[in-house]
């Protein structure tokens, strides 16, 4: 039995300065690590197991992404394979921090477009969860012929918690627009010369 073990760590510092984020600049520190072991049982069977862990500054817990695969050789130039893996996508800067006004049918009014973190801070809405995918594959490869080869695969993907625009727009009451309630996000906005009548954003 032969083992091939690899491991690593990574770090990314992300910074953005866009006008659609209001008067704020945002910086994020991302840390990740991974480990993988390829176990070879002679020339006929290989088993691969690995895991990746990511620490996103906006998530309360680390995200784990395991994966595994088995490759078996049938003869010298045929192989069967099976694999299962997971992956994820966290919210980007736009989905997290956007803070801009959106036009309404009436020129005297506008809506407030808020990213997940901004909406949570101002209105207490739930923060976004990372998108997740579970993938599986069964495959067969035949290279017995020198002229052509055959490769067939059956696979599935299951995606959960897709991040998209919110389907609901929260409209404020007349009292909220005139008194400037909800953490000062309502009422008359001098920059856009409109009354803020509601807010929308992103959701899973």
């Amino acid at each position: 039995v032969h083992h091939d073990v690899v491991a690593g760590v990574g770090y990314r510092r992300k910074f953005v300065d866009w006008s659609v984020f209001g008067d704020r600049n945002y910086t994020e520190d991302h840390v990740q690590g991974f480990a993988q072991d390829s176990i070879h049982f002679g020339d006929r069977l290989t088993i691969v197991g690995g895991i990746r862990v990511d620490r996103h500054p906006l998530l309360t817990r680390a995200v784990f992404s395991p994966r595994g695969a088995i490759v078996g050789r049938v003869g010298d130039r045929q192989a069967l394979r099976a694999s299962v893996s997971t992956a994820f996508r966290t919210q980007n800067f736009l989905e997290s921090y956007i803070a801009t006004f959106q036009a309404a049918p009436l020129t005297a009014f506008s809506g407030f477009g808020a990213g997940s973190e901004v909406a949570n801070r101002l209105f207490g809405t739930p923060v976004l969860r990372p998108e997740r995918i579970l993938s599986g594959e069964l495959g067969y490869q035949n290279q017995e012929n020198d002229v052509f080869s055959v490769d067939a695969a059956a696979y599935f993907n299951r995606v959960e918690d897709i991040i998209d625009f919110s389907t609901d727009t929260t409209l404020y009451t007349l009292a909220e627009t005139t008194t400037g309630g909800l953490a000062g996000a309502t009422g008359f906005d001098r920059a856009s010369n409109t009354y803020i009548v509601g807010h929308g954003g992103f959701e899973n």
Side-chain angles (χ1 to χ4, degrees), residues 8-146:
V9 295
Y11 167 77
R12 287 185 298 157
R13 184 173 180 83
K14 301 170 66 176
F15 170 80
V16 67
D17 180 8
W18 288 352
S19 59
V20 294
F21 292 160
D23 57 353
R24 296 190 178 205
N25 302 326
Y26 292 95
T27 301
E28 293 182 350
D29 296 301
H30 298 251
V31 180
Q32 60 272 344
F34 76 94
Q36 177 177 289
D37 186 9
S38 299
I39 309 171
H40 305 274
F41 297 88
D43 297 330
R44 297 295 182 185
L45 181 64
T46 301
I47 299 177
V48 181
I51 189 169
R52 171 174 170 152
V53 58
D54 287 74
R55 190 67 179 91
H56 191 286
L58 297 182
L59 302 180
T60 57
R61 293 180 292 182
V63 181
F64 292 87
S65 303
R67 64 179 181 177
I70 299 177
V71 180
R73 300 192 66 83
V74 182
D76 294 332
R77 304 179 69 178
Q78 297 183 63
L80 296 170
R81 66 182 184 274
S83 66
V84 178
S85 62
T86 59
F88 71 96
R89 184 186 78 86
T90 54
Q91 60 267 37
N92 56 40
F93 275 113
L94 195 67
E95 295 160 342
S96 299
Y97 304 117
I98 188 173
T100 186
F101 297 112
Q102 302 167 331
L106 299 177
T107 56
F109 302 96
S110 63
F112 182 60
S116 173
E117 295 302 307
V118 176
N120 177 261
R121 184 175 68 248
L122 294 178
F123 315 118
T125 57
V127 296
L128 292 173
R129 301 181 301 275
E131 297 178 345
R132 301 193 66 95
I133 184 171
L134 171 65
S135 301
E137 181 179 344
L138 295 173
Y140 167 74
Q141 186 179 69
N142 187 318
Q143 295 178 317
E144 296 285 357
N145 193 296
D146 293 332

